[in-house]
Amino acid sequence: MALVSIFLEILRKPTAGDVLSELIIFIAPLWIAVIVGVLVGWAWKPKWANIGREISIDSSSSSFGFISSLNSIKFQFPSFISWTSDDGVQKDSNSSSSQISKGKASFVTNEDLEHLCNLVEEKDGGPAWIHMMDCSTKTMYYQAWQRDLDAGPTQYRSRTVYEDASPEMVRDFFWDDQFRPNWDKMLASVATMEECPTTGTMVVHWLRKFPFFCSDREYVIGRRIWESGRSYYCVTKGVPYASVPRKNTPRRVDAYYSSWCIRAVESRKGDGQLTACEVLLFHHEDMGIPWKIAKFAVRQGMWGLVNKIDPGLRAYQKERASGVLSRCAFMAQINTKVSADYLRSFESKSNDSSALETRNSSEKPSGNNIPKLLVVGGVIALACSLDRGLLTKTAIFGVARKFANIGRKL
């Protein structure tokens, strides 16, 4: 009743300005208390707070594994000492791997190759891609598209051309988990669970770090590469893996798909030489937050993250000049060879989809008149309260950057 009487007393102020100022003074301590309480709660959350949460979500191992995820897992590291074999291939200390048994079903199959080929040729039967952006540097050219399906998260397609890079080098670069932390700062640890010396198929575990108000996440990923000439079809997707038990934290997100086609293309220098490398990437994953918010955040933060990959590739080229391969890079060179006719046979099985939509997807700015304090407060509350979600670094800094830009325009 005391709070009610205070509130009524504020409303009795003679002017609207007095009422507003009194309300701000009245509400501000409550907001501060709530924010501090949430931050302290996340920093010191007892284990029993996780009781009753969803622990297991069976993931589908179908060829179109729709957005796999990142959850908690037990690691078993053999040692932290690396050794080098007679053939100059460095064996990595954190690859506590075993060979995939012959009797076990493959984690990544030809059906996954067929699906990726249909995505590359735009014959997967999905909706048209909507253009998002074109950006470039002196050594890289980048384009991105997106599309929404009836169900599931937004899908993204990108085309990146790296100058003065071979398809083989780029293939090894994206496969090399030992080098990846040099440019992917969210990757906390890596372990190879299984590998096949015949097909190059691998099952890897990634643990990714997130800000203190979000628990860490893990991926259990199956991956494999097919080779046709000097084109490489690389499939990575979330897979079920009984040997990695689930825990409350870190949380495993089961819906994840990220695959790409790598091939040589003509350089933008105009010399007619195939000295550049094209990467067509198809990616979607469920971050556990409302998809409209996720789309907004990804759109604002995408180029900032992509722009960090090119310096990483150049550093990787220099490191590889020494001639020593990591174990993952060595596995990237074990490819299943297929003919161009075999790849073309997939086209007859698929229905023609609509051509790539080239219209610009620029959205009309809306909501700029919303008080910035209210919006930023909502983002903070969302970040701190969503335990089911994965608020990636892209989302967090993308939102922050957007409102910083709005501030400059006002």
Side-chain angles (χ1 to χ4, degrees), residues 108-174:
V108 188
T109 68
N110 285 343
E111 292 180 355
D112 296 294
L113 171 62
E114 179 179 357
H115 176 63
L116 176 56
C117 287
N118 289 332
L119 287 171
V120 170
E121 300 300 329
E122 302 171 39
K123 297 181 180 298
D124 66 310
W129 294 97
I130 301 174
H131 183 256
M132 292 176 62
M133 67 177 67
D134 288 88
C135 300
S136 64
T137 65
K138 292 182 179 180
T139 57
M140 179 182 69
Y141 176 63
Y142 179 77
Q143 297 174 289
W145 298 264
Q146 67 179 19
R147 68 180 183 182
D148 292 307
L149 278 68
D150 293 336
T154 300
Q155 297 185 358
Y156 296 95
R157 175 187 189 269
S158 68
R159 176 181 181 266
T160 310
V161 176
Y162 298 99
E163 293 289 341
D164 301 316
S166 68
E168 292 76 19
M169 181 65 69
V170 175
R171 173 201 63 190
D172 296 354
F173 169 70
F174 283 114

Side-chain angles (χ1 to χ4, degrees), residues 334-353:
I334 304 177
N335 309 147
T336 303
K337 291 181 172 56
V338 294
S339 66
D341 290 337
Y342 179 74
L343 297 180
R344 282 193 291 268
S345 68
F346 294 146
E347 298 182 18
S348 62
K349 301 179 183 178
S350 61
N351 297 323
D352 291 339
S353 62

Side-chain angles (χ1 to χ4, degrees), residues 56-68:
S56 62
I57 303 175
D58 294 333
S59 65
S60 169
S61 59
S62 63
S63 61
F64 189 46
F66 217 62
I67 315 180
S68 146

Side-chain angles (χ1 to χ4, degrees), residues 78-83 91-94:
S79 67
F80 292 95
I81 302 175
S82 62
W83 54 277
K91 310 301 182 180
D92 298 298
S93 60
N94 61 346

Side-chain angles (χ1 to χ4, degrees), residues 120-301:
V120 170
E121 300 300 329
E122 302 171 39
K123 297 181 180 298
D124 66 310
W129 294 97
I130 301 174
H131 183 256
M132 292 176 62
M133 67 177 67
D134 288 88
C135 300
S136 64
T137 65
K138 292 182 179 180
T139 57
M140 179 182 69
Y141 176 63
Y142 179 77
Q143 297 174 289
W145 298 264
Q146 67 179 19
R147 68 180 183 182
D148 292 307
L149 278 68
D150 293 336
T154 300
Q155 297 185 358
Y156 296 95
R157 175 187 189 269
S158 68
R159 176 181 181 266
T160 310
V161 176
Y162 298 99
E163 293 289 341
D164 301 316
S166 68
E168 292 76 19
M169 181 65 69
V170 175
R171 173 201 63 190
D172 296 354
F173 169 70
F174 283 114
W175 224 246
D176 197 331
D177 289 343
Q178 280 64 54
F179 187 84
R180 179 178 283 267
N182 293 321
W183 57 273
D184 184 357
K185 300 303 181 181
M186 294 182 67
L187 188 61
S189 62
V190 177
T192 301
M193 312 310 297
E194 295 190 37
E195 61 185 32
C196 176
T198 303
T199 65
T201 301
M202 302 178 70
V203 178
V204 298
H205 168 269
W206 287 4
L207 181 65
R208 299 179 71 85
K209 299 286 291 185
F210 289 89
F212 67 94
F213 48 76
C214 294
S215 60
D216 296 343
R217 300 297 196 267
E218 70 168 357
Y219 297 87
V220 179
I221 297 173
R223 62 191 192 183
R224 182 178 175 184
I225 301 175
W226 286 263
E227 175 187 352
S228 179
R230 292 191 68 197
S231 296
Y232 299 93
Y233 295 83
C234 312
V235 174
T236 74
K237 66 175 187 177
V239 296
Y241 196 71
S243 299
V244 179
R246 296 177 183 270
K247 293 182 179 179
N248 289 339
T249 57
R251 176 174 178 152
R252 184 179 305 170
V253 183
D254 293 295
Y256 172 85
Y257 180 87
S258 189
S259 301
W260 51 94
C261 173
I262 302 173
R263 54 196 177 191
V265 294
E266 185 175 338
S267 171
R268 288 190 294 162
K269 298 175 184 178
D271 55 6
Q273 300 298 314
L274 299 178
T275 55
C277 178
E278 177 189 67
V279 179
L280 297 176
L281 169 68
F282 302 89
H283 180 93
H284 54 269
E285 79 179 81
D286 191 351
M287 293 189 294
I289 62 175
W291 294 335
K292 289 186 178 180
I293 296 177
K295 285 175 63 176
F296 169 79
V298 169
R299 184 182 180 88
Q300 300 306 317

